[in-house]
Amino acid sequence: MADARREFHHQLSTRIIRDHQAIAVEDLAVKGLARTRLAKSVHDAGWSACVTMLEYKAAKFGRSFHRIGRFEPTSQVCSRCGVKDGPKPLHIRAWECGACGAELDRDINAAVNVAKAAGLAVPACGARVGPVLV
């Protein structure tokens, strides 16, 4: 089972590194999560091993790797207006920002905030985004 998990991590990390120029991950407190009721799932996922593989493969292939601190409130801040709405229990998967009224998915909102914290999110500012015809 351990070999199958390690092989999966190698395949996944290689695919992510090949497909993206920059990778940003949130530095989760894996030891803390392992002491909760999610302990078996946390250990089965092998988050630390996967992140380690991403980091060394990013260096090997010349990709940019960013690790966001665990105390960054990525799931508490609205990715649209930046207002901190406070901590939410894990069962709340979607929420509405009290300031701007945006409907936010917890995971997508956190991913956008991780990209912003890593300096990877660039606003379009009205410019055309996408491939340009040559």
Side-chain angles (χ1 to χ4, degrees), residues 16-87:
I16 290 171
I17 293 297
R18 284 187 180 160
D19 291 347
H20 304 284
Q21 292 294 317
I23 296 92
V25 295
E26 191 171 8
D27 186 25
L28 299 176
V30 177
K31 286 183 181 178
L33 289 172
R35 284 185 251 145
T36 66
R37 62 182 178 85
L38 301 171
K40 186 175 181 333
S41 300
V42 169
H43 287 301
D44 282 348
W47 172 252
S48 297
C50 189
V51 169
T52 302
M53 287 181 193
L54 278 171
E55 190 168 17
Y56 86 76
K57 288 180 183 185
K60 180 179 177 181
F61 292 104
R63 303 296 198 246
S64 175
F65 182 84
H66 304 275
R67 190 183 299 256
I68 305 305
R70 68 181 66 166
F71 298 110
E72 190 77 29
T74 56
S75 61
Q76 300 174 19
V77 175
C78 175
S79 59
R80 297 226 179 124
C81 67
V83 171
K84 185 174 179 180
D85 204 22

